[in-house]
Amino acid sequence: MARKVPTIDLSRLGDDKALAIAAYGQAVAAYRCIVLAEKTTDPRLRSSFEALVRQANQQRDQIQTLLGRLFPSACFFLSAADKSLVCVGPRLVDARDDARFEEAMKLIIASEKRAVSFYTRYAVVAAAGDIRSLFQESAALGLVRVRELRSVFNAAGRHIIESCPIQW
């Protein structure tokens, strides 16, 4: 699983493309959580994943609304490098057994941390104040989600060992 954060000059990215990348990240997060909610037999995990789906979809809708308002004709092809700014690993996660399920959970946490990094770094260079505010809020929400995911996984007896954990 590739964990290296791509080196892209975010100041040259542009607000419209940054929003498109952020929306992609939220769509992938929702999709992955749908898969895990369907695969788990633990009701606590299912409920948590379903809540995460709602949060990711709400955040994606908020991003897309802002994108449509500020850049109504924006249309992007996102490269693998663009996508890797907010996601770790493949879009489709495999959760058919315990080992794969835990690997999928690690991908969700790693991607959430990657997205937090993107939001935090891009907020500094965002031209539009609305985008700066949205990305700052998204980074803060992402940190809360990382903490919640760790807590839920631990409560379910699934202790995830992360490389490069975010500390509070």
Side-chain angles (χ1 to χ4, degrees), residues 18-33:
L19 286 169
I21 291 168
Y24 170 81
Q26 291 304 318
V28 170
Y31 178 72
R32 286 175 170 175
C33 288

Side-chain angles (χ1 to χ4, degrees), residues 109-110 112-114 116-117 120 138-152 154 160 162 164-168:
I109 289 176
E112 194 67 52
K113 292 190 304 187
R114 175 87 48 99
V116 166
S117 173
T120 302
S138 295
L141 289 171
L143 289 174
V144 169
R145 277 193 297 271
V146 168
R147 188 179 318 162
E148 288 172 354
L149 284 164
R150 288 177 180 154
S151 175
V152 167
N154 285 333
I160 303 300
E162 302 169 59
C164 189
I166 295 175
Q167 300 297 322
W168 285 274

